[in-house]
Structures are given as C-alpha cells and as structure tokens.
C-alpha cells in the first residue's frame, strides 16, 4: 500500500468510527504504528548502522515511548480509559508482531533504504559532471504488454545493471547486486553477488551499477539487497542471443 493509500484508509476509519472509545483505540493504534515507522527510519540515521538488530531496537523503543504515553493518558482519564486497556494493548501488539513478521519475511523493504530506479543496459558510463549515460534497446510498442523486458545480447558482451538507492543523510552503507538465472530444475540460481557502496543524502538515490559477462540466454533477474539479505527491489529480464548489438540503441542521461 502506498503512503497515500495508508493516509486515506486512516482518514476514512477515523470518520467511520462513531464511538468515542472505538476512535480512541484506533488512534492509539495508529499512534503506535506512526512511532514504529518513525523509529525504523530515524534510528539507523542516528546510529549510522542498519540491520535486524537495529530494526528490533526500533520496535522496542517505539513500544516504550507508546506505553509511557498510554500511562499518562490513563492517569488523566482513569474512569473512561480503564475498560479499554486490553483492546488498546492487543491491537498495538498485533501491529508490532505483524511488522516484525513482514520485515523478517522480506515483505517490506529494509527501511530507511529504498530503491528509486533499476534498469538493465548495454552500456553505462559516468560523465565528468557525475551523471550517468546509459544505452538501451527499444522494446517497441509490444514492450508495453510484456511483463518482462527483452534484452538481446551478443556472446562475450557484458550486460550492465543500474540502480539508484535512497539513503538518508549521514547513513552510508553497502548493497549487493545479486545476479540470478532461472533453471527449470533448480529454480533461481545465483550467478554472482557484487557488493557496492551507497552514500546517503541524495534525493534521487545514490547511483551505482554492476556488470556481468558470459550471460547465457534465458530468464534473469537482479536482486538489490542489503548485506544481510533483505531485498530492496528486484528487476527481471529475458536474455535473447544475437550475433551483434540490437539497433537502434537509445541513449539516456540519468542525472
């Protein structure tokens, strides 16, 4: 769900809950979710580190801050709040468990990193100004209907994978481009894992790329991961054999 969708859902739920107590329970649960999301974003920036331990610490800290707020609220409104303590705690506990399950199952990306751009090219070159000049083949009008783009590759010619990963200011970390090919018997098989550095602070994401030679025709994908294996994003493409480079190639400047 996008952030716009989440905000719209919260607004509708807040309006539909006519009961004062039901609205309070919902708002306290939303407060905990907001605290949790804020902590998993800001704590890696403060600690200059990220990973599973930092995520667990973010959840624990958000629980402490939320419980302190609930205690103060309960002291101020003992009579009207005491009957709904169990419901409030249960709903927030469910959010805490769900967030952890989604994170450790790699369903949600490892915040505060996010993949801003990913694409595969025949050539990637960094210019003197710091921009990246990329060359790609046109997918034609049929490309709109394909779920996976085609990539025509000649023997011995490398394939380039470009990515832009957003990281907050002062949070410098590493990512990995994991190149995988699909085998009908063994499933997705890792062909290479290429570590790359990421520097924080750039709005459009820190740009970097990797290249892979000796790629055989077939289904391929590149996973953009953290060193611990959390997936930021994935790009799939089909490699087709060709004697030479496809024509025409389009040139694009990625600022």
């Amino acid at each position: 769900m996008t952030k716009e969708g989440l905000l719209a859902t919260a607004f509708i739920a807040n309006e539909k809950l006519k009961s004062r107590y039901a609205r309070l329970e919902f708002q306290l649960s939303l407060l905990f979710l907001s605290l949790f999301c804020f902590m998993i974003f800001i704590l890696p920036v403060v600690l200059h580190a990220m990973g599973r331990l930092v995520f667990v610490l973010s959840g624990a800290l958000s629980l402490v801050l939320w419980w302190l707020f609930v205690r103060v609220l309960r002291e101020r409104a003992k009579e009207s709040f005491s009957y709904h303590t169990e419901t409030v705690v249960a709903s927030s506990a469910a959010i805490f468990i769900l967030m952890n399950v989604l994170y450790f199952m790699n369903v949600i990306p490892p915040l505060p990193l996010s993949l801003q751009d990913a694409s595969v090219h025949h050539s990637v070159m960094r210019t003197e100004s710091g921009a990246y000049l990329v060359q790609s083949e046109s997918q034609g009008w049929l490309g709109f209907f394909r779920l996976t783009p085609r990539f025509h590759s000649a023997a011995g010619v490398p394939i380039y994978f470009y990515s832009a990963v957003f990281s907050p200011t002062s949070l410098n970390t590493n990512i990995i481009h994991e190149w995988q090919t699909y085998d009908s018997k063994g499933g997705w098989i890792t062909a290479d894992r290429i570590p790359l550095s990421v520097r924080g602070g750039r709005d459009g994401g820190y740009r970097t790329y990797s290249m892979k030679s000796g790629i055989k025709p077939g289904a391929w994908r590149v996973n953009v991961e953290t060193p611990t294996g959390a997936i930021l994003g994935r790009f799939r493409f089909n490699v087709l054999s060709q004697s030479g480079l496809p024509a025409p190639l389009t040139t694009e400047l990625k600022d």
Side-chain angles (χ1 to χ4, degrees), residues 24 34 38 42 46 52 56 61 82 85-86 113 125 128 137 161 164 171 183 186 191 195 206 215 241 246:
L24 176 63
S34 301
F38 176 74
I42 199 64
V46 174
R52 296 177 179 177
V56 172
L61 187 56
S82 58
T85 303
E86 293 183 0
L113 299 183
M125 181 184 302
E128 293 182 358
E137 63 181 276
F161 178 74
L171 180 59
D183 181 81
Y206 186 82
I215 286 186
S241 179

Side-chain angles (χ1 to χ4, degrees), residues 36-58:
F36 202 162
C37 292
F38 176 74
M39 286 300 168
I40 61 180
F41 180 87
I42 199 64
L43 205 59
V45 178
V46 174
L47 299 178
H48 302 290
M50 61 177 296
R52 296 177 179 177
L53 181 60
V54 176
F55 182 87
V56 172
L57 184 60
S58 301

Side-chain angles (χ1 to χ4, degrees), residues 6 14 19 30 47-48 53 77 126 145 163 178 181 198 247:
L6 182 61
N14 190 57
S19 170
L30 187 61
L47 299 178
H48 302 290
L53 181 60
R126 187 174 183 180
F145 300 97
S163 67
E178 183 182 44
T181 183
V198 170

Side-chain angles (χ1 to χ4, degrees), residues 21-167:
Y21 300 122
R23 181 175 297 177
L24 176 63
E25 294 164 2
F26 171 77
Q27 289 176 339
L28 287 175
S29 300
L30 187 61
L31 171 64
F32 173 70
L33 178 60
S34 301
L35 274 174
F36 202 162
C37 292
F38 176 74
M39 286 300 168
I40 61 180
F41 180 87
I42 199 64
L43 205 59
V45 178
V46 174
L47 299 178
H48 302 290
M50 61 177 296
R52 296 177 179 177
L53 181 60
V54 176
F55 182 87
V56 172
L57 184 60
S58 301
L61 187 56
S62 62
L63 273 176
V64 171
L65 293 175
W66 177 83
W67 180 246
L68 289 175
F69 177 81
V70 171
R71 286 290 299 273
V72 173
L73 185 63
R74 186 179 181 182
E75 289 297 324
R76 295 293 182 89
K78 291 182 179 179
E79 184 176 349
S80 59
F81 187 77
S82 58
Y83 298 104
H84 301 271
T85 303
E86 293 183 0
T87 305
V88 170
V89 172
S91 60
S92 297
I95 293 174
F96 178 80
I97 295 172
L98 178 62
M99 289 286 287
N100 278 271
V101 169
L102 293 178
Y103 178 83
F104 286 101
M105 291 182 64
N106 285 329
V107 176
I108 58 177
L111 297 173
L113 299 183
S114 63
L115 184 63
Q116 302 291 306
D117 190 8
S119 49
V120 64
H121 304 280
H122 289 275
S123 173
V124 176
M125 181 184 302
R126 187 174 183 180
T127 65
E128 293 182 358
S129 63
Y132 283 82
L133 197 65
V134 301
Q135 284 190 322
S136 313
E137 63 181 276
S138 174
Q139 296 294 317
W141 66 273
L142 286 175
F144 177 80
F145 300 97
R146 297 193 187 102
L147 296 178
T148 306
R150 292 180 175 181
F151 190 98
H152 293 84
S153 176
V157 178
I159 296 178
Y160 296 79
F161 178 74
Y162 169 93
S163 67
V165 175
F166 171 79
S167 177

Side-chain angles (χ1 to χ4, degrees), residues 1 6 20 25 34 73 139 182 193 204 222 236 244 252:
M1 180 181 291
L6 182 61
R20 181 179 61 182
E25 294 164 2
S34 301
L73 185 63
Q139 296 294 317
Y182 185 78
R193 289 175 59 85
V222 179
R236 297 186 180 184
E252 179 185 359

